[in-house]
Amino acid sequence: MKELLDILSEKFGAAFEKAGYGAEYGRCVVSNRPDLCEYQCNGAMACAKVYKKAPIAIANEVVTSLPDDGAFKSVEAVAPGFINIIIGEKTLNAYLNEMAVSEKNGFEPKSIGKTAVIDYGGANVAKPLHVGHLRPAIIGESVKRILKFDGYKTIGDAHLGDWGTPIGLIFTEMQDRNPSLVFFDENYTGEYPAECPVTLKELEEIYPFASAKSKEDEEYRARARQAVFELQSGRRGYRALWERIMDISKKDLAKNYGSLNVFFELWYGESDADPYIAPMIEDMKKQGIAKISEGALVVDVKEESDNKEMPPCMLLKSDGAVGYDSTDLATIVQRMKDFSPNKIIYVVDKRQGLHFEQVFRTVRKAGIVGDDTDLIFLGNGTMNGKDGKPFKTRDGGVLRLEALVKDVRDHVAEKMADRDLSAEEKDEISRKVGLAALKYGDLSNAATKDYIFDIDKFTSFEGNTGPYILYTMVRIKSILEKYSSVSGLSIAVVLAKAANGEYKLSDIDGNDSEKKLKLQISLFSTSMAQAVAEIAPHKVCSYLFDLSNCLNSFYHENKIVAEENEEKRKGFIALICLTLKLLETGIDLLGIEAPEKM
Ligand code: ARG
């Protein structure tokens, strides 16, 4: 289905043409003066400059050139040359009726056949998932869903930090505590035990301990570096131990991400890019773009127009080790080879912006990525506490993601305490509503902005919050339940009837709140297209918030089930069924689930 704004623009374009002007001036937009009109066409202003005529004269000609087909309730040229438009109820209803029976509610995907890789995990193996990984996970999952909605084949990659210093530290500490462990025996040639010799709990204690010790102990630090080197060079026992640790760690991460409704298609780690590093560096040397600088091998990425510091991209450090730059470069080599994506999107803390700029410039320079592939860094801002500083636990430590999710859930559960619901229902509601509070609180802010985590605000059932959106959905379901008991049709049957066109909007004149709801519904495709174009989940949030507000005013100002005129009543039911469908689609794009009751 075309966007309604495009349909209107075509009509006005034709009228401009009929009056002797270019059709391009017919662009219609949503009115910024809703007190005066619903849409506006401001093309006469620009047209006037080209045709050297008074804008109001052109606007008047255009208005009289419109066909008399009843598409509009009123069209008015006003000084100095705007055209104010009020759409006809029938036109709007027909559009909405078609939306109701269309796939994706009439939204036309524009990216079928294209592929996008989204890199939004970044958790580090053997370290618990902490709040810093919350935003990339939540935003990345939503970005993936939004692009998929637009037709992209989407591939989410966890890109775990599985290969660097932390593993070396863990190995070193494990060896100190348990030197006889067979994984450390260089002369051992048999099979290694399948079980991981440490539990996750132990790892969580070992890593911070080793990390602290390495800061004071030079020799210890050197041993950890050596362990990483030997692991990367393929020492058998280290590889086996690493695999065991990866195994338990990935399972735990999958569970944790899963509890956020975040899923990855690929569970690659930095290590998976390793085989691509050496040939990539060889190639860059051949091309003459890799050069030695202060003992390290680097690629210069400075450009003349740079007005900030732009250090070179580091291929090999002076000790010959590969680091974060090479890993990300080689990961791009791998992704290009495996998927030839049209887009690679990184949802990573915005403080890593410079790193990605260096990496992007390098892969362009080396011809690894051509013009057909966009490289996009979607740097996310920080979630701060009420003190405006990055969110911490009460005692100032790093907050574990699990604990945060639980906190929010408990907060919702408290609110539900005196509700007449079974324990099971309360449990499901607090899980879903808690998660919605957390995710919506995050996603409703532009990704790049910092925001303040405010548990009371986020879990409120009023205002621009996840629970408010869910509450609106539950309200619609409870109206349908009431309708069900009067009509004798189950909710599922009513929803099906609305979705196959048996229930249609009524053309009988309604009140203002009804029209407003319809207008907001009609903007669905336009708003989703904006969210896709700007890769912006917060645009989905604001659409859903406006829609919920319209639905709630409609609910307060109309009798729905008690409406006596049957055609009107069925029209109302069709209207709220469509609203529910849009809300369902929208929250799914955000990675949020709705409970049946609240
Ligand atoms: N593991 C990294 C960190 O914790 C984030 C990885 C982000 N993704 C990437 N492709 N570099 O800082």
Side-chain angles (χ1 to χ4, degrees), residues 119-125 127 130 132-133 136 157-162 270 324 327-329 331-332 335 345-349 352 355-356 359 377:
D119 182 321
Y120 61 102
N124 299 313
V125 165
K127 291 206 261 176
H130 63 80
H133 294 113
D157 184 5
H159 197 75
L160 304 176
D162 61 352
E270 293 174 359
Y324 198 47
T327 307
D328 266 318
L329 294 170
T331 302
I332 296 182
R335 287 174 181 162
I345 301 173
Y346 294 86
V347 188
V348 179
D349 191 309
Q352 294 196 22
H355 162 74
F356 282 99
V359 166
F377 176 65

Side-chain angles (χ1 to χ4, degrees), residues 1-138:
M1 268 178 92
K2 281 185 187 159
E3 287 175 29
L4 185 59
L5 283 174
D6 289 338
I7 299 177
L8 302 183
S9 301
E10 277 169 24
K11 276 188 185 290
F12 276 82
F16 266 95
E17 241 177 0
K18 196 169 165 215
Y21 309 104
E24 70 275 18
Y25 297 110
R27 188 75 222 152
C28 295
V29 294
V30 173
S31 163
N32 55 15
R33 288 290 306 272
D35 51 323
L36 296 179
C37 59
E38 296 160 354
Y39 307 95
Q40 281 163 259
C41 175
N42 304 333
M45 315 295 281
C47 186
K49 291 206 180 91
V50 176
Y51 290 86
K52 311 225 179 327
K53 241 182 163 175
I56 187 70
I58 297 176
N60 274 316
E61 287 173 64
V62 169
V63 171
T64 44
S65 300
L66 280 168
D68 187 16
D69 58 3
F72 302 107
K73 192 163 166 191
S74 85
V75 181
E76 202 186 352
V78 295
F82 301 119
I83 304 176
N84 290 348
I85 307 160
I86 295 178
I87 195 169
E89 200 86 27
K90 274 196 182 139
T91 318
L92 190 58
N93 288 345
Y95 187 81
L96 264 54
N97 282 329
E98 199 184 330
M99 277 180 76
V101 299
S102 297
E103 216 176 302
K104 298 194 179 203
N105 314 305
F107 174 82
E108 284 210 21
K110 293 176 197 69
S111 303
I112 294 170
K114 291 190 183 171
T115 302
V117 175
I118 305 107
D119 182 321
Y120 61 102
N124 299 313
V125 165
K127 291 206 261 176
L129 213 53
H130 63 80
V131 165
H133 294 113
L134 179 75
R135 293 210 75 196
I138 292 180

